[in-house]
């Protein structure tokens, strides 16, 4: 089974000779590896997916990012709550998904 890879501009169709083909609906776009990684939606684990859905329940990116950053500041103040490196990576994935408009499973 082929895994579906979504980007901020469409779905990945294929990889040919060092370039990625992304379908935008009416036509495809060829991207270099760097361009593809820039628009590729992040892969979230099930816990991150649940948190993303909660943050985006109203569909407001600004409110979702503000809430997420408020949580990060709260964790920085109570640094013994959880390992900070893992938390920062977790929040980075969520922020990336909010900004780009979605995620890959």
């Amino acid at each position: 089974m082929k895994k579906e890879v979504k980007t901020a501009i469409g779905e990945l169709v294929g990889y040919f000779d060092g370039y990625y083909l992304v379908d935008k609906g009416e036509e495809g776009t060829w991207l270099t590896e760097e361009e593809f990684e820039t628009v590729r939606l992040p892969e979230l684990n099930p816990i991150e997916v649940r948190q993303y859905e909660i943050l985006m329940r109203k569909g407001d990116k600004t409110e979702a990012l503000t809430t997420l950053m408020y949580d990060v500041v709260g964790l920085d103040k109570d640094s013994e709550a959880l390992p900070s490196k893992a938390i920062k990576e977790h929040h980075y994935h969520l922020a990336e998904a909010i900004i780009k408009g979605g995620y890959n499973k």
Side-chain angles (χ1 to χ4, degrees):
M1 185 171 117
K2 183 178 164 186
K3 183 179 176 188
E4 181 180 305
V5 177
K6 296 182 270 183
T7 72
I9 60 173
E11 188 175 322
L12 177 66
V13 176
Y15 176 80
F16 308 99
D17 197 27
Y19 292 90
Y20 294 86
L21 178 60
V22 176
D23 183 17
K24 294 170 61 173
E26 59 276 347
E27 63 182 55
T29 301
W30 292 95
L31 303 172
T32 64
E33 183 173 352
E34 182 179 348
E35 293 168 333
F36 176 72
E37 289 302 322
T38 301
V39 297
R40 182 180 183 182
L41 298 179
E43 292 190 17
L44 301 182
N45 65 42
I47 294 170
E48 291 170 332
V49 168
R50 185 170 151 243
Q51 195 167 11
Y52 173 84
E53 297 297 333
I54 291 168
L55 288 167
M56 290 299 296
R57 69 183 174 274
K58 292 183 183 176
D60 185 351
K61 288 183 179 185
T62 304
E63 182 179 331
L65 282 172
T66 302
T67 303
L68 182 64
M69 292 306 109
Y70 181 77
D71 290 346
V72 170
V73 170
L75 287 172
D76 283 344
K77 289 180 181 177
D78 185 13
S79 59
E80 294 181 15
L82 294 167
S84 67
K85 185 176 181 180
I87 292 299
K88 288 181 181 177
E89 184 175 331
H90 167 76
H91 283 85
Y92 175 82
H93 289 150
L94 286 170
E96 183 181 13
I98 292 167
I99 291 166
K100 290 183 177 179
Y103 58 89
N104 285 299
K105 290 183 180 177

